[in-house]
Amino acid sequence: MKKIIFTICLMCGSFYSYSQAADCSEFKDGTFKFTDPGSKKVCIITRDGDTQTERMEDSQETYTFDLKWIDECTYTINPTSSTVQKRKEVLRLGTMTVKIVPDSDSTYTQTVHVANSPKYKRRDKVLVVRDKK
């Protein structure tokens, strides 16, 4: 019985490792959008290198964050000084960690955790915004 349980655990670990090896390269740079569940407004995210910019669709005010990739599908963001000047409350949040799970080549699900609020967890379906050619 112990061997069976061990084998099942080993197999589950293998599947978990495989799922962690997802290819998120399409989602590292570009423009993305999702609907904020609280305000019901569309949030537009632009990632370029080590910077993430966010704004609401009906606003020109932008917020920038320093971005650091932890692994292929997980990154952290911290507000830049210009964002802190606009919204000091972002400092209370601490580092935000975002985990991407690809759904297709044009959507992914992101899970957001906030360092200073361990119980906070948010899931959003995110759409890739493609340039019109």
Side-chain angles (χ1 to χ4, degrees):
M1 184 65 165
K2 288 182 182 178
K3 287 183 180 181
I4 292 172
I5 293 172
F6 175 75
T7 303
I8 291 171
C9 289
L10 188 60
M11 287 173 54
C12 289
S14 298
F15 291 131
Y16 180 76
S17 295
Y18 176 75
S19 68
Q20 293 299 309
D23 181 14
C24 295
S25 58
E26 290 185 54
F27 309 121
K28 287 195 172 187
D29 289 305
T31 302
F32 313 91
K33 67 180 178 178
F34 67 93
T35 301
D36 180 273
S39 68
K40 305 294 185 209
K41 294 182 179 182
V42 175
C43 180
I44 299 172
I45 298 170
T46 303
R47 280 194 292 275
D48 184 16
D50 60 358
T51 302
Q52 178 164 306
T53 305
E54 300 179 9
R55 73 174 179 84
M56 292 304 193
E57 196 169 49
D58 61 351
S59 172
Q60 291 304 310
E61 187 167 19
T62 60
Y63 301 97
T64 56
F65 298 85
D66 292 322
L67 182 150
K68 180 180 178 189
W69 287 94
I70 297 172
D71 62 35
E72 183 65 23
C73 296
T74 308
Y75 66 93
T76 60
I77 57 172
N78 288 292
T80 61
S81 59
S82 65
T83 294
V84 171
Q85 288 175 356
K86 293 177 194 175
R87 301 201 62 172
K88 294 188 185 342
E89 67 271 15
V90 297
L91 281 178
R92 286 185 277 134
L93 298 174
T95 300
M96 289 179 267
T97 302
V98 180
K99 174 73 177 166
I100 293 174
V101 177
D103 297 323
S104 70
D105 65 344
S106 61
T107 64
Y108 65 85
T109 300
Q110 70 178 10
T111 304
V112 180
H113 294 275
V114 178
N116 294 336
S117 298
K119 291 182 180 180
Y120 179 87
K121 183 178 180 180
R122 177 174 162 168
R123 293 178 68 96
D124 302 297
K125 182 73 115 183
V126 181
L127 175 68
V128 177
V129 177
R130 305 269 188 227
D131 290 333
K132 295 178 183 176
K133 295 179 182 181

